[in-house]
Amino acid sequence: MEIFEDDITAALPVLRTGGLILYPTDTIWGIGCDATDETAVKKVYELKQREESKSLVILLADVRDLLHFVANPRPDIADVIAGFDRPTTVIYEGALGLAPNVINTDGSIAIRIVKDPFCRHLIKRLRKPLVSTSANISGQPSPAAFQEVDPAIVNGVDYVVKYRQSEAAAARASRIIKIHKDGSISIIRD
């Protein structure tokens, strides 16, 4: 049994009923919810005190899941993602099947395929994409470790994952790239 099984067992009913979780990702600590639940996504914006015009990142467990949430991904997208040397969020054109308030106004969506075992297990068991936005009030620094998460965030979610809370190693946000309609790639944040 995985060391985080109790956290997954506790987080799943919260996510399935429109609740929010605070959890470790493959990068920094994040606030998460079911990315297909518009009401849950609204709660994330309210907790972060962030404008809904600023889109959120979605986590998926497998590259093949992109076919459910992105219209016409590059045919070689699996190879592109396999070539990443660190966690990388990709902005895709043509979001599908997600809560409308998680999609950018131009119809694009930011998605990261996670390798982190906890996140992969959680997403696979939820069977839905997971919102992942930094666990901070909008405009404040992103927390590199659990100890840096603002108490307002900790108290504002429905479940706080215990797994990896004691890690002191500073994590960093993902690289962000955008794949344009013509297939070209540009780096948004390195």
Side-chain angles (χ1 to χ4, degrees):
M1 196 56 82
E2 296 286 348
I3 55 175
F4 47 69
E5 180 61 28
D6 289 347
D7 278 316
I8 289 180
T9 301
L12 285 172
V14 169
L15 293 166
R16 288 179 178 140
T17 57
L20 306 184
I21 64 168
L22 175 60
Y23 68 112
T25 72
D26 53 339
T27 58
I28 58 178
W29 276 77
I31 301 168
C33 72
D34 172 353
T36 66
D37 184 333
E38 187 173 1
T39 304
V41 172
K42 185 172 180 58
K43 291 180 193 174
V44 171
Y45 283 111
E46 289 169 357
L47 179 59
K48 283 184 66 77
Q49 300 171 28
R50 181 176 173 161
E51 296 173 35
E52 283 195 39
S53 61
K54 295 182 178 181
S55 57
L56 302 171
V57 173
I58 304 303
L59 300 184
L60 294 174
D62 291 302
V63 70
R64 68 179 172 266
D65 296 333
L66 284 171
L67 298 173
H68 300 288
F69 304 105
V70 176
N72 307 312
R74 282 174 55 146
D76 65 342
I77 193 61
D79 295 331
V80 171
I81 291 171
F84 295 154
D85 60 351
R86 64 183 168 124
T88 302
T89 300
V90 179
I91 300 172
Y92 298 90
E93 303 284 338
L96 301 170
L98 297 163
N101 53 347
V102 84
I103 300 169
N104 195 323
T105 53
D106 67 2
S108 66
I109 187 67
I111 299 176
R112 189 165 68 251
I113 308 298
V114 292
K115 293 183 177 153
D116 175 76
F118 172 77
C119 289
R120 285 180 52 86
H121 279 263
L122 183 61
I123 295 163
K124 283 177 173 274
R125 300 250 306 265
L126 181 62
R127 296 177 180 234
K128 295 193 176 178
L130 197 60
V131 163
S132 178
T133 183
S134 55
N136 62 324
I137 303 296
S138 190
Q140 299 296 317
S142 298
F146 176 76
Q147 294 74 20
E148 297 174 17
V149 178
D150 188 308
I153 299 292
V154 174
N155 296 322
V157 299
D158 302 293
Y159 182 71
V160 178
V161 171
K162 293 167 188 63
Y163 177 64
R164 290 181 37 201
Q165 279 188 14
S166 61
E167 285 183 7
R172 68 184 230 195
S174 72
R175 170 194 303 133
I176 300 176
I177 66 169
K178 182 169 186 172
I179 298 180
H180 302 278
K181 286 181 181 164
D182 65 2
S184 65
I185 297 174
S186 57
I187 296 172
I188 307 296
R189 179 178 72 200
D190 200 24

